[in-house]
Amino acid sequence: MFEITQCANNRIDMSFGGKIDREEMKILLDEFVDKTKDVEDGIMLYTIHDFDFPTLSAIGEELTRLPELFRHTRKFKKVAVLAEQQWLRKVSEIEGMLFPGLDIKGFSPNDTENAEAWLAQ
């Protein structure tokens, strides 16, 4: 299950949870591309709940669209990741190091207030 909400011209909130298959990944990626097409200097609040690894076909779908996803990811300067699992927060922060100009910081789900404050800085 996922939800992508455009909160402002430069703000996207994304929520993701459970197992995702190829069709759901295609829908998610289409929606992400659509909702981020006009974003500049963007910020994102990304909530991960009930995480389960995507199916192999879902990962394949994502891999086939990497160039497009990189273009849209570069539109963001900050992403706050809310996740229960410490390892997901840490992996997210490491992933942020791979994108010049993108700062990703992990927060626990009960730390939404600090995540919001960090995004607003």
Side-chain angles (χ1 to χ4, degrees):
M1 178 180 171
F2 69 90
E3 183 178 1
I4 303 174
T5 306
Q6 186 169 7
C7 303
N9 287 341
N10 74 331
R11 167 84 184 254
I12 298 288
D13 284 6
M14 200 164 150
S15 177
F16 171 82
K19 193 165 200 90
I20 190 165
D21 63 19
R22 183 172 188 238
E23 266 313 300
E24 290 170 315
M25 180 66 79
K26 182 181 179 337
I27 294 167
L28 183 151
L29 297 177
D30 287 346
E31 190 171 335
F32 176 77
V33 167
D34 181 59
K35 290 197 174 167
T36 61
K37 66 182 174 223
D38 297 325
V39 171
E40 293 181 25
D41 291 323
I43 57 174
M44 181 188 306
L45 182 66
Y46 186 18
T47 304
I48 304 171
H49 52 88
D50 302 323
F51 178 79
D52 197 356
F53 284 99
T55 64
L56 286 176
S57 61
I59 293 169
E61 179 68 27
E62 186 175 22
L63 291 174
T64 64
R65 296 181 64 179
L66 278 180
E68 178 182 36
L69 294 174
F70 285 146
R71 277 194 311 277
H72 286 269
T73 302
R74 281 191 222 123
K75 296 178 177 215
F76 291 87
K77 60 182 179 180
K78 283 186 170 184
V79 178
V81 176
L82 298 171
E84 187 65 39
Q85 299 91 340
Q86 172 66 29
W87 70 269
L88 279 173
R89 297 191 302 262
K90 192 50 79 180
V91 166
S92 298
E93 290 176 358
I94 292 169
E95 185 179 17
M97 293 177 199
L98 302 175
F99 293 93
L102 178 62
D103 194 8
I104 299 178
K105 188 169 180 178
F107 298 86
S108 67
N110 61 355
D111 206 9
T112 304
E113 190 174 308
N114 284 330
E116 292 278 1
W118 179 76
L119 285 173
Q121 292 177 348

